[in-house]
């Protein structure tokens, strides 16, 4: 099958690799290189780097407003386009160009968590399950009918980073199943009930408020890991807390009970992994060898 692939971040890479092993990927579309790092030099996206490694034609239009970009897309004469975390709204002319339309791999059980940050929001909300939906794309935001779906449990202390990797591999497997059955799959319209929106993560959300219950803060810490990372000020440092679990104990909110176990508004949590500025993430017992905690965290 002649496939156009459209994606940008790390999450999309296993999908591109899977498609390239089973189908003819005629072109890859990705977001243009962006300034990154201390030198703010333009850095290609993970998908662009993967496409170059695979020897596939890579295209990076800023949008599809120009007629020549829409025409170049249509001229590929693709059977289908597969879109996963691309980062651009596709005009109807692009959606209609492939013979069998455009499929989106979405990392939630639609209609829950439409939008930009479904994995973060599922963990932060304490959802018991999430999954992958293979969706026929239409003009609305993640509103199209679902062709295939698969659910997976979210572990009680699973981070967004760990869940991200599992869902990426699941999406790669499920899209191959969908393409193998594309002529017989029956699209199922999303119900109107249960619609939620996964708003983009705002860095202002990341500061930890110890007055909240421990159950919420464990989800908050794990849901924001590894990016942007929930944080707390310790001395003159902004320390990111990257992995936490519920713990026994009680005390004033923010009080250090022992080691890296912290009292919350109700209950307590244990920090399992943290990161100091300019350092790599470390297990709690290792980071405490060089970091002295005050009696109470603000």
């Amino acid at each position: 099958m002649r496939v156009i692939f459209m994606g940008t971040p790390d999450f999309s890479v296993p999908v591109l690799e899977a498609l390239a092993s089973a189908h003819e990927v005629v072109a890859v579309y990705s977001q243009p290189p962006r300034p990154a790092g201390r030198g703010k030099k333009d850095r290609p996206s993970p998908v662009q780097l993967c496409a170059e490694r695979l020897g596939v034609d890579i295209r990076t239009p800023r949008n599809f407003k120009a007629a020549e970009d829409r025409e170049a897309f249509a001229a590929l004469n693709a059977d289908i386009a597969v879109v996963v975390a691309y980062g651009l709204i596709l005009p109807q002319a692009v959606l209609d160009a492939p013979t069998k339309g455009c499929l989106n791999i979405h990392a939630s059980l639609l209609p829950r968590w439409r939008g930009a940050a479904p994995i973060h929001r599922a963990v932060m909300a304490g959802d018991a399950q999430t999954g992958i939906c293979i969706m026929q794309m239409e003009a609305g935001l993640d509103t199209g009918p679902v062709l295939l779906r698969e659910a997976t449990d979210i572990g009680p202390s699973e981070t967004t980073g760990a869940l991200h990797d599992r869902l990426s591999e699941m999406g790669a497997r499920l899209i191959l199943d969908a393409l193998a059955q594309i002529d017989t799959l029956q699209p199922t319209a999303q119900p109107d009930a249960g619609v939620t929106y996964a708003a983009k993560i705002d860095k202002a959300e990341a500061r930890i408020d110890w007055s909240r219950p421990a159950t919420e803060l464990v989800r908050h810490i794990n849901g924001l890991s590894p990016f942007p990372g929930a944080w707390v000020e310790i001395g003159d440092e902004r320390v990111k807390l990257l992995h936490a679990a519920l713990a026994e104990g009680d005390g004033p909110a923010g009080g250090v009970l022992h080691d890296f176990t912290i009292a919350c508004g109700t209950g307590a949590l244990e920090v399992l992994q943290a990161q100091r500025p300019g350092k790599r993430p470390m297990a709690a017992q290792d980071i405490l060898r060089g970091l002295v905690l005050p009696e109470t965290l603000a």
Side-chain angles (χ1 to χ4, degrees), residues 158-199:
E158 190 165 19
T159 65
T160 285
L163 183 57
H164 166 284
D165 293 348
R166 288 206 294 119
L167 291 175
S168 179
E169 295 295 338
M170 184 186 296
R173 173 171 51 79
L174 210 59
I175 191 62
L176 294 185
D177 291 345
L179 294 185
Q181 308 171 59
I182 193 64
D183 293 325
T184 58
L185 288 174
Q186 295 299 312
T188 302
Q190 295 183 39
D192 294 329
V195 174
T196 57
Y197 289 92

